[in-house]
Amino acid sequence: MNSAPLRELMRDLAALIWPTACVACGAPDRDCCADCFARLRTLPEGKTLVVAGVPCFVRGTYAGPLRALLVAFKHEGRFGFRGVLGDALRSPLLDALALAAVSSRSEPPLLVAMPSRPSSVRKRGYRHLEVLIAKALPRGMPRPRVVRALRTTRGRVGQVGLSSSERERNAGRIAVSRRFRRSVRGRGIVLVDDIVTTGASVRRAILSLETAGGKVVAIAALSAAERRDSPGESANSIQTGRGGGIAAEGWSRVPGKA
């Protein structure tokens, strides 16, 4: 029996008792309407960036339904969006793991999520990136080890609304947890993030992990923001380099392939 019509009926009944609207477009009766779900599930082929010399696989631009659902999941407690966002993360995560498997000749790569401030985790009630990683990994696939190796240090604030120079200073407040230094030493690492903007936080995370003896071989991100600090400048036009920012490599699944 097809359960989809029954689910829709239950949602219709729930909407009568608890009125709601689509977080992306405002259409009534659904937390995310069918049209916006369809747009999210049919995003164009993912984007490949280079952040500090490391390939970064990104599912889409931080805009539209992808942005709306991520904000709702991350900041508004909409835990029910974890499934569709995990599905969106799957492609870049698997691409990053595939690249890491080639680069890591001995042990399988570790997965390390970008850290949230402890106050944010307490308020949210869950570590949002770890939840999305769990949803993104296909059933039956051998589970890579997820290591909570990164932490924020005193004075770290949210990056939203900060200038480029402020983001760089704020990004410096990311470090490797002392108890995980031995775990990352000599290991290939896939770094996972939700939004890549200027790349400041990711660059700091790479530096911290590699100073501890790890090797970040790939990055998987749900979205990349088109940030403009001056006319004609965006996150995807900054000079590439080990100490630089982000550069676009086009909409492709593998770096260097059109």
Side-chain angles (χ1 to χ4, degrees):
M1 178 180 176
N2 188 350
S3 60
L6 180 59
R7 285 199 303 269
E8 288 302 304
L9 175 60
M10 296 303 294
R11 289 167 181 162
D12 286 337
L13 293 174
L16 292 174
I17 303 171
W18 299 288
T20 188
C22 176
V23 298
C25 71
D29 300 336
R30 296 290 185 274
D31 291 339
C32 185
C33 71
D35 287 345
C36 288
F37 259 127
R39 287 175 60 195
L40 187 56
R41 292 186 182 279
T42 57
L43 288 170
E45 194 85 351
K47 198 170 191 177
T48 306
L49 309 174
V50 177
V51 183
V54 179
C56 176
F57 299 91
V58 180
R59 185 65 186 93
T61 301
Y62 185 58
L66 182 58
R67 179 186 184 279
L69 267 69
L70 179 55
V71 168
F73 172 70
K74 186 177 178 180
H75 298 296
E76 299 170 13
R78 302 291 190 95
F79 194 68
F81 290 148
R82 67 192 184 282
V84 68
L85 290 172
D87 289 346
L89 179 62
R90 182 170 298 129
S91 175
L93 183 58
L94 293 182
D95 284 344
L97 284 170
L99 180 61
V102 173
S103 302
S104 303
R105 299 174 182 175
S106 52
E107 297 180 278
L110 302 175
L111 287 178
V112 175
M114 289 293 293
S116 294
R117 290 169 292 155
S119 60
S120 298
V121 175
R122 288 193 297 270
K123 181 178 179 180
R124 191 178 298 128
Y126 48 89
R127 295 179 184 273
H128 71 290
L129 280 172
E130 292 182 13
V131 170
L132 295 185
I133 289 170
K135 284 293 181 180
L137 293 171
R139 291 182 181 179
M141 173 183 173
R143 295 271 156 165
R145 184 182 172 196
V146 179
V147 178
R148 203 171 288 168
L150 293 172
R151 64 182 179 89
T152 59
T153 61
R154 187 181 298 275
R156 171 83 176 183
V157 299
Q159 293 279 71
V160 176
L162 300 183
S163 67
S164 293
S165 58
E166 289 169 337
R167 280 174 173 265
E168 290 289 344
R169 287 194 296 273
N170 196 47
R173 299 182 174 99
I174 293 175
V176 174
S177 298
R178 183 173 300 174
R179 68 192 185 102
F180 286 111
R181 287 177 185 171
R182 182 174 295 178
S183 299
V184 303
R185 190 177 303 140
R187 297 293 297 272
I189 295 168
V190 170
L191 193 60
V192 183
D193 203 357
D194 51 3
I195 311 160
V196 177
T197 306
T198 64
S201 294
V202 171
R203 289 198 304 274
R204 176 63 188 192
I206 292 170
L207 176 62
S208 297
L209 289 164
E210 297 194 345
T211 299
K215 176 65 176 176
V216 178
V217 293
I219 305 160
L222 191 60
S223 61
E226 294 291 338
R227 177 182 172 88
R228 295 188 181 276
D229 294 323
S230 61
E233 181 182 309
S234 76
N236 296 340
S237 63
I238 300 173
Q239 180 68 33
T240 309
R242 201 63 184 169
I246 305 173
E249 290 291 335
W251 292 94
S252 66
R253 295 275 295 205
V254 179
K257 290 190 178 182

